[in-house]
Amino acid sequence: MSDNPDRLGDDGQRTAVDGDAAAPTDDDLSIEELQASVGAVRDEVGKRIIGQHDVVERLLVCVLCDGNALLESNPGLGKTTLVRALSDATDLQFSRVQNTPDLMPSDITGTEIIRETPEGRDFVFERGPIFANVVLADEINRATPKTQAALLEAMQEKQVTAAGETYELPDPFFVLATQNPIDQGGTYPLPEAQTDRFLMKILVGYPEFDEERTIVKQYAEGAASPEVERVLPRTHLLAAQRLVRQVPISDDIRDRTIELVRKTREDEQVEFGASPRASMALVLAAKARAFVHGRTHVSWEDVVEMAPPVIRHRIILDFRAEREGLDPDDVIQRLLNE
């Protein structure tokens, strides 16, 4: 079996090969320069996505946190266009997986094939679409549990296992998955262990009237799709990710954030509350939002804005709350107001 340059060694690290140098970093860039680059990404995505400012911001926060996002909305609201625009504005490789019930794990991760070489036939690992920086997993709940498990390993470990070998995924690596809440026929609900691996569950709503009018004018009348420039090199993004984790947060705000998550475990309307992973995710998301807004410290407003997308998919409501027509966002908002 031939060696692959991305195969991990016995110590779990990527095996070095000739000409394979570590990617350069831009740690010498100032905070202001990195924040300006991130702001430029938001502006470029806005050229192609009309409105949806909160959705774009939350997706950027996920990227800065090195996290995965689950986008949920009715069909036709631009989820795929949004992810493509984000990839176009960054120096990242994009790949799309259209999930169907007959999709196999090897269709995503890759498989070994027999290839003719001058020395004869040899087994070579053919990479699947998971080997990209930004992977759009369209309609993820249409994949079977076995295929979802392959995605789970990639999201959790940043690596995949195929044919008994482990292969490291590119850095950075994000899974941005979509699902349609109204068409549940032939779907496989994501297990809690997998939904918890998504940093955020982002709800994409309908546009306002003026926004929809602009969309119709721009696309339905034959206008060319706006060009999105690449404004955030990969090394800048990696530097920004490291810097986000260093954004200061006061002990008081951190404690209030933890207490908010703990309340979900004690609330009478919640059957299963959020785990400590939610506390970690919420603090990190608040740091990233502060960074996106050009600040160098976390405010309570950052926590309030990030709480719904970070927590909503990590709690399960009591049947009485569901009978009253409540959803997780209602409970989260009430806990924030207490």
Side-chain angles (χ1 to χ4, degrees):
M1 185 179 299
S2 61
D3 291 334
N4 185 289
D6 283 322
R7 185 170 296 166
L8 300 184
D10 294 336
D11 58 354
Q13 301 299 315
R14 181 177 172 182
T15 303
V17 296
D18 292 340
D20 185 18
T25 60
D26 285 5
D27 288 318
D28 293 335
L29 288 171
S30 68
I31 296 177
E32 292 77 13
E33 288 174 314
L34 289 173
Q35 288 175 329
S37 295
V38 172
V41 172
R42 181 166 51 183
D43 294 340
E44 290 299 316
V45 172
K47 291 180 180 179
R48 193 173 293 172
I49 300 297
I50 308 301
Q52 306 290 5
H53 303 296
D54 288 344
V55 174
V56 173
E57 177 181 287
R58 289 169 180 178
L59 203 55
L60 268 177
V61 167
C62 276
V63 170
L64 289 173
C65 294
D66 195 19
N68 307 292
L70 178 62
L71 285 77
E72 182 175 284
S73 77
N74 295 333
L77 293 181
K79 298 184 295 294
T80 302
T81 302
L82 171 60
V83 176
R84 282 188 176 275
L86 177 65
S87 176
D88 289 344
T90 56
D91 187 22
L92 301 177
Q93 182 184 2
F94 173 82
S95 179
R96 177 182 177 181
V97 176
Q98 182 62 54
N99 289 279
T100 58
D102 60 351
L103 189 73
M104 299 297 293
S106 59
D107 295 329
I108 297 176
T109 60
T111 187
E112 284 194 328
I113 62 174
I114 298 177
R115 180 171 294 171
E116 295 286 349
T117 65
E119 292 77 22
R121 295 178 179 177
D122 195 6
F123 284 98
V124 178
F125 180 69
E126 188 77 13
R127 295 182 181 186
I130 198 72
F131 286 89
N133 299 114
V134 180
V135 178
L136 172 61
D138 229 348
E139 297 187 284
I140 188 173
N141 54 335
R142 292 197 177 277
T144 62
K146 189 174 183 179
T147 302
Q148 291 175 1
L151 276 172
L152 175 61
E153 182 194 4
M155 292 164 54
Q156 179 178 351
E157 305 294 341
K158 307 291 186 180
Q159 63 185 31
V160 298
T161 302
E165 300 290 345
T166 301
Y167 301 88
E168 187 175 349
L169 293 170
D171 186 24
F173 172 76
F174 314 102
V175 172
L176 306 178
T178 71
Q179 66 178 10
N180 176 0
I182 64 173
D183 184 9
Q184 297 298 318
T187 62
Y188 301 86
L190 295 176
E192 285 74 12
Q194 186 155 340
T195 56
D196 197 42
R197 295 296 176 183
F198 288 101
L199 180 72
M200 291 186 188
K201 180 179 180 180
I202 302 173
L203 305 182
V204 184
Y206 287 106
E208 299 293 335
F209 176 82
D210 290 342
E211 295 169 348
E212 189 166 352
R213 181 173 56 186
T214 302
I215 293 171
V216 171
K217 183 177 180 180
Q218 183 171 331
Y219 292 96
E221 295 182 1
S225 180
E227 289 293 328
V228 174
E229 298 181 14
R230 292 192 172 184
V231 293
L232 184 64
R234 185 178 71 91
T235 53
H236 289 203
L237 173 58
L238 293 173
Q241 288 178 341
R242 289 188 290 271
L243 199 57
V244 160
R245 294 181 178 271
Q246 301 173 25
V247 173
I249 180 172
S250 68
D251 291 341
D252 176 62
I253 293 179
R254 183 188 294 108
D255 291 346
R256 291 174 66 187
T257 302
I258 296 172
E259 185 60 34
L260 171 65
V261 174
R262 291 179 63 87
K263 284 181 180 179
T264 66
R265 305 170 205 163
E266 304 164 357
D267 193 86
E268 61 181 10
Q269 292 183 325
V270 179
E271 184 174 1
F272 295 103
S275 70
R277 183 181 287 138
S279 302
M280 295 184 289
L282 186 51
V283 168
L284 184 58
K287 288 186 174 189
R289 184 181 185 274
F291 187 88
V292 169
H293 282 259
R295 288 183 277 107
T296 55
H297 66 279
V298 176
S299 69
W300 181 244
E301 178 189 357
D302 297 318
V303 177
V304 171
E305 289 297 321
M306 293 295 99
V310 170
I311 299 177
R312 63 167 58 110
H313 58 297
R314 304 175 192 267
I315 63 176
I316 299 177
L317 298 188
D318 182 84
F319 75 94
R320 288 165 294 188
E322 294 181 341
R323 187 176 58 192
E324 295 174 10
L326 299 178
D327 61 30
D329 284 9
D330 295 324
V331 174
I332 295 168
Q333 194 59 53
R334 176 174 57 77
L335 294 177
L336 284 168
N337 293 334
E338 288 182 352

